[in-house]
Amino acid sequence: MPAAPPSIPRHIAIIMDGNGRWAKARGLARIKGHEEGANAVRACVEACGELKVEFLTLYAFSAENWRRPKGEVFALMRLLEKFLKEKTPELQEKNVRLQAIGRLTDLPASCQRQLHESIESTARNDGLTLVLALSYGARLEIIDGIHSLLRELEGGHIDKAMIDVKMFSKHLYTRYYPDPDLLIRTSGEMRLSNFLLWQLSYTEMYVTPKLWPDFRKEDLFAAVEEFRQRQRRYGGV
Ligand code: FPP
């Protein structure tokens, strides 16, 4: 895969927030906001493809989202399955490779089946990698990473002295991806909400008051434009 042009982020992560408020403002059920939010994903994938961004990670369902009312959780799972079923041919056409991170076995069986089918059928694409964070929580990811590291240690495959940042990163769900360069959060909230806590250490943040269902290609371009003006120092001068 050719490298992205300089100063275009290689990896963009997005906290898609504000679906509920978008629906409420229109007197609609919350799920309508999620449905409109699923449509906004399409524009975003297209924009990333045009910019030659290599990885796009979307926070689609957090480990904490299971606490929402049963009806909303059910509707979100159905929406996810429908989205995957309907959009996989389009992902193919756009040369997008789909992947997922999180405790995927928590998802309903039919959703898991569709997810694996979509991942499998796009596995040979070499354009944008679209990563869906599903039943994802960063603290759980770190705990899972520690367990994985301990298994290697107890199996005698590694020595304690070998444990460093690089090695630990290889035990996270995100081991195949570079850390995000740019994090976008919609709806004006200034929180990380348990998203990629390890990986976002040096990521540039961009928060927009726009609600996710209103997020368009131009909004992604504006975020990237602002990113290009930033000076990244990684703790140096
Ligand atoms: C946050 O809005 C959004 C979510 C919890 C789910 C995100 C899901 C989608 C964008 C649609 C499905 C996505 C895919 C990839 C098919 P919120 O409900 O917390 O909004 P609020 O803070 O205004 O209540």
Side-chain angles (χ1 to χ4, degrees):
M1 195 186 323
S7 69
I8 290 293
R10 274 190 82 192
H11 185 173
I12 299 180
I14 306 185
I15 301 177
M16 308 180 288
D17 195 15
N19 296 349
R21 275 163 281 173
W22 185 92
K24 193 174 176 200
R26 288 161 180 77
L28 301 169
R30 291 177 58 82
I31 188 61
K32 291 286 169 209
H34 297 312
E35 282 170 12
E36 210 48 44
N39 292 334
V41 168
R42 182 177 194 243
C44 216
V45 168
E46 270 180 21
C48 285
E50 284 172 30
L51 291 174
K52 304 263 182 291
V53 168
E54 292 174 53
F55 301 89
L56 170 66
T57 300
L58 300 177
Y59 205 5
F61 193 86
S62 77
E64 290 75 25
N65 286 155
W66 294 112
R67 294 191 206 127
R68 293 191 174 201
K70 270 201 176 70
E72 183 173 345
V73 169
F74 181 75
L76 268 167
M77 290 299 133
R78 241 192 10 203
L79 178 63
L80 174 68
E81 196 177 323
K82 180 169 167 264
F83 173 90
L84 291 169
K85 202 177 172 123
E86 286 178 8
K87 301 293 176 202
T88 300
E90 208 176 311
L91 296 178
Q92 279 291 31
E93 200 183 295
K94 294 195 164 82
N95 194 23
V96 176
R97 180 174 67 136
L98 182 77
Q99 306 226 312
I101 54 170
R103 288 195 170 170
L104 306 179
T105 50
D106 291 348
L107 301 173
S110 61
C111 212
Q112 285 186 49
R113 267 196 303 276
Q114 180 59 57
L115 181 64
H116 291 302
E117 208 178 299
S118 299
I119 289 174
E120 176 52 35
S121 61
T122 61
R124 279 155 294 279
N125 294 341
D126 62 1
L128 174 72
T129 298
L130 171 63
V131 184
L132 296 182
L134 296 166
S135 192
Y136 174 88
R139 288 178 169 183
L140 285 179
E141 178 185 30
I142 291 169
I143 297 293
D144 285 348
I146 292 170
H147 283 298
S148 155
L149 196 63
L150 284 176
R151 277 194 296 276
E152 291 223 327
L153 204 62
E154 285 158 6
H157 306 297
I158 56 164
D159 187 78
K160 250 197 256 174
M162 293 160 71
I163 301 173
D164 61 8
V165 167
K166 196 167 165 203
M167 175 182 278
F168 188 62
S169 300
K170 295 292 166 210
H171 289 268
L172 296 172
Y173 307 151
T174 51
R175 56 190 164 275
Y176 306 115
Y177 322 126
D179 287 343
D181 303 290
L182 172 64
L183 170 72
I184 299 173
R185 182 167 188 150
T186 57
S187 92
E189 305 290 350
M190 303 285 184
R191 285 189 293 278
L192 288 180
S193 301
N194 202 15
F195 187 45
L196 301 174
L197 298 183
W198 173 277
Q199 299 86 344
L200 294 174
S201 296
Y202 291 102
T203 302
E204 295 294 325
M205 292 178 64
Y206 178 89
V207 177
T208 167
K210 276 220 171 158
L211 304 176
W212 176 251
D214 292 326
F215 196 83
R216 298 285 175 268
K217 262 187 186 183
E218 305 77 62
D219 299 301
L220 187 119
F221 293 147
V224 168
E225 208 36 56
E226 183 170 319
F227 169 85
R228 299 179 78 184
Q229 311 303 322
R230 304 255 183 104
Q231 283 204 344
R232 302 182 77 190
R233 293 200 292 268
Y234 302 94
V237 286

